Amino acid sequence: MLVHNASEAAVPDQDDTIPSGKGLATGKVGTFAGAILSIASIAPAYTTTASMGLIVAAVGLKMPALLIAGFVPMFLAAYAYREFSAETPDCGASFTWSARALGPYAGWMAGWGAVIAVVIVLANIAAVGATFLYLFIGRLTHSETIATLGDNKLINIVTTLAFLAAAGWAASRGISSSERAQYVLVGFQLIVLLLFAGIALAKAMNGDAPSGLSFSLDWFNPLTGLTLGAFAIGLVGSVFMYWGWDTALTLGEECTDPKRTPGRAGLLSILTVLGTYLLLGVALMWYAGVGDTGIGLGGTDARNNVFGTLAEPVMGGSGELLLFLAVLVSTIASLQATFLPAARAMLAMGAFKALPQRFATVDPVCQVPRFATAVAALVAGGLYAITALLSEHVLLDTIAALGIMICWYYGITAFASVWYFRKRWFASVRDAVFKLIFPLSGGTMLLVVFGISVRESLKPEVGSGASIFGIGLVFYLGFGILAAGAVLMLIQRWREPAYFRGETLPRAVSGDPMPAPAEPHSHALQSSAHFGNQE
């Protein structure tokens, strides 16, 4: 099993269910299983249909170049995560590592960025799932009325909240897919995506595509025909498409080999997704073009829902059903996997007193952070409902905002890695490359894109065009929510100053021992047991 189920965890003191220092089960996730969970969290089918249009709207025919450009900083930053995980595997990931290297304030803000980004994307995933649920049922029953129910704002919000409630309840009960089930969910969506790409490419090469485009290597060149602002906005969308590979890193304490498995799983997932996206991106653009009329990727319909627009033209009626089912499956798999990093980051922050102690509770039977999972579901639902009422195209705005948050906390973690390993920069060629050059380059790229993206997000025309007081909604959702985190950090410092004085998670360099959680593990178990007994 990927994550221990309730029946197996009934006797948590057995050898195969020994909890980690925070109460999580150990030895449950292997390299391939970790990669599958990361790919499930990335959700290629969901991510493509939700964000490919945003990239095309910004850069047009340069979309393949931006897919590569977005991969580069993420790949370089992946080595920061890998090196951290190899030395000190911890479910807090960005929060824990940044706090140890750069201090409590940098750690808190990195943790906040990681948590709130995951919480927002949970709602985004559920919303796409709601749309494709009605599309699939409508096409299956030949009912256009049902197929368009997802476009009704009230129905969309209610269904999205229902998806979140179901996924949150399942996660809080410790119910998780087995390896075999996750393999089926992820494998199915990848096979259907490759089938779709193959059909679209075949039609384009045979001259049967409506775009009339001829293949050009210039599509892969980001150095021509782009303004800096367009490049930054497109890159934010591209970075978002790879986000989720670090899910395996948050499972470090639960892996079969905590020092090697998480990094290997993360790298395997991001490389797999790169190949998938490049094939899909070229196929979509070559077939449909980037125009703003018809089925062009620059049109409103395609920007909001790429596969909803292109499924029938490319694959026909039965193929359309298959693709809609693939996206629906993708959202289900992603919801299951994406609750993991959010809940575990909050668990770590609670364990080291960066959040209220309630977040440190772990159910002693299911060995999952139930309270943190419930909070993630509630906040995700609330944010989505508010944003959906403010914007007609909420998915575009939240994806652009998520790109800002991702650049923020990945960048901080990359710089934290550089500083944490400073005494080992020149110990060997390998250390110089993986502990200095790669994370420094990736962090620099991400924070430059972060700065440019924040500036561009001020413009109302970015994203859906929604604005408040003349400032783009993307700015409020991206930088504004990060700034709100700083306010919450000051409140937590006033309530519980020990973490901010460096008492629970002191600064360190490579080689220093990892401190134990601030509260004894037994306290967390007792709290969770009491919480469970109340049900």
Side-chain angles (χ1 to χ4, degrees):
M1 300 289 285
L2 289 179
V3 180
H4 207 43
N5 66 31
S7 63
E8 292 174 326
V11 187
D13 57 349
Q14 290 180 347
D15 290 344
D16 65 342
T17 58
I18 296 172
S20 71
K22 301 183 187 70
L24 300 169
T26 59
K28 296 301 172 187
V29 182
T31 299
F32 193 59
I36 289 294
L37 275 174
S38 289
I39 295 173
S41 187
I42 294 170
Y46 144 74
T47 305
T48 300
T49 197
S51 59
M52 194 71 81
L54 175 68
I55 302 175
V56 171
V59 301
L61 289 171
K62 295 292 184 178
M63 180 257 286
L66 267 293
L67 291 176
I68 297 174
F71 167 79
V72 173
M74 297 292 274
F75 180 74
L76 295 175
Y79 279 91
Y81 281 76
R82 191 183 77 164
E83 295 303 308
F84 266 132
S85 182
E87 180 165 314
T88 55
D90 190 271
C91 68
S94 290
F95 156 72
T96 305
W97 299 330
S98 298
R100 296 195 80 205
L102 303 176
Y105 295 94
W108 205 99
M109 289 305 297
W112 170 252
V115 168
I116 198 63
V118 173
V119 166
I120 290 174
V121 85
L122 280 170
N124 207 310
I125 295 167
V128 171
T131 297
F132 275 88
L133 172 66
Y134 292 117
L135 279 172
F136 178 74
I137 295 174
R139 294 292 187 269
L140 187 64
T141 59
H142 305 289
S143 171
E144 191 63 26
T145 300
I146 295 176
T148 58
L149 284 178
D151 297 329
N152 180 289
K153 183 171 291 188
L154 178 59
I155 292 176
N156 180 273
I157 291 174
V158 171
T159 309
T160 297
L161 296 181
F163 264 79
L164 284 170
W169 177 84
S172 71
R173 298 298 300 174
I175 300 172
S176 177
S177 299
S178 66
E179 289 185 34
R180 183 174 300 175
Q182 280 288 2
Y183 294 159
V184 170
L185 292 173
V186 172
F188 175 74
Q189 66 172 297
L190 289 179
I191 289 170
V192 175
L193 289 179
L194 293 177
L195 177 64
F196 173 87
I199 295 173
L201 283 174
K203 289 186 176 182
M205 288 187 286
N206 292 332
D208 296 331
S211 72
L213 290 173
S214 298
F215 179 82
S216 173
L217 289 176
D218 189 58
W219 295 348
F220 300 88
N221 182 7
L223 302 178
T224 61
L226 288 174
T227 65
L228 184 60
F231 180 83
I233 294 300
L235 193 59
V236 165
S238 179
V239 163
F240 168 76
M241 293 187 69
Y242 295 102
W243 180 48
W245 64 267
D246 57 327
T247 292
L249 279 298
T250 66
L251 304 176
E253 296 175 68
E254 299 160 85
C255 286
T256 53
D257 184 348
K259 294 185 179 298
R260 295 183 179 87
T261 297
R264 291 173 178 173
L267 289 175
L268 177 60
S269 67
I270 197 173
L271 289 170
T272 300
V273 170
L274 169 65
T276 303
Y277 282 157
L278 282 176
L279 185 63
L280 263 179
V282 172
L284 284 165
M285 192 174 72
W286 197 356
Y287 178 84
V290 297
D292 57 5
T293 59
I295 63 171
L297 298 182
T300 301
D301 290 342
R303 286 176 64 189
N304 291 333
N305 189 341
V306 169
F307 289 141
T309 303
L310 293 177
E312 198 279 331
V314 172
M315 301 185 74
S318 58
E320 179 187 45
L321 269 176
L322 190 65
L323 188 57
F324 287 171
L325 181 60
V327 179
L328 183 58
V329 164
S330 178
T331 61
I332 293 171
S334 188
L335 278 173
Q336 290 177 337
T338 304
F339 266 107
L340 301 179
R344 279 150 181 76
M346 286 188 280
L347 166 64
M349 294 180 78
F352 292 109
K353 296 188 177 181
L355 284 178
Q357 288 292 286
R358 186 67 180 276
F359 286 94
T361 58
V362 174
D363 182 78
V365 175
C366 300
Q367 296 177 301
V368 293
R370 302 176 70 186
F371 178 75
T373 301
V375 170
L378 289 171
V379 175
L383 283 175
Y384 181 78
I386 293 170
T387 307
L389 293 173
L390 292 173
S391 172
E392 290 296 322
H393 306 289
V394 61
L395 295 182
L396 286 176
D397 292 323
T398 53
I399 288 169
L402 282 167
I404 292 174
M405 296 177 189
I406 295 164
C407 288
W408 168 262
Y409 82 86
Y410 273 37
I412 291 176
T413 308
F415 284 121
S417 173
V418 172
W419 190 241
Y420 180 79
F421 291 106
R422 60 188 180 276
K423 292 184 178 180
R424 297 178 57 184
W425 285 349
F426 307 112
S428 66
V429 173
R430 182 197 180 282
D431 284 342
V433 172
F434 295 146
K435 293 182 173 63
L436 175 60
I437 297 173
F438 275 19
L440 181 61
S441 301
T444 300
M445 292 177 191
L446 288 168
L447 290 189
V448 167
V449 173
F450 168 80
I452 296 173
S453 300
V454 169
R455 184 193 68 191
E456 292 295 313
S457 71
L458 290 165
K459 301 175 181 178
E461 61 268 23
V462 172
S464 70
S467 63
I468 301 175
F469 304 121
I471 296 175
L473 182 59
V474 173
F475 175 82
Y476 295 102
L477 292 174
F479 186 78
I481 290 180
L482 286 177
V487 176
L488 293 176
M489 178 179 67
L490 295 177
I491 294 173
Q492 178 62 17
R493 186 185 67 173
W494 172 73
R495 293 182 69 256
E496 189 74 67
Y499 163 77
F500 296 94
R501 290 197 296 255
E503 296 173 5
T504 62
L505 190 59
R507 295 183 67 167
V509 296
S510 178
D512 290 347
M514 181 71 183
E519 287 294 315
H521 173 57
S522 59
H523 173 82
L525 289 179
Q526 290 165 7
S527 298
S528 290
H530 176 69
F531 177 66
N533 289 336
Q534 289 179 325
E535 297 179 314

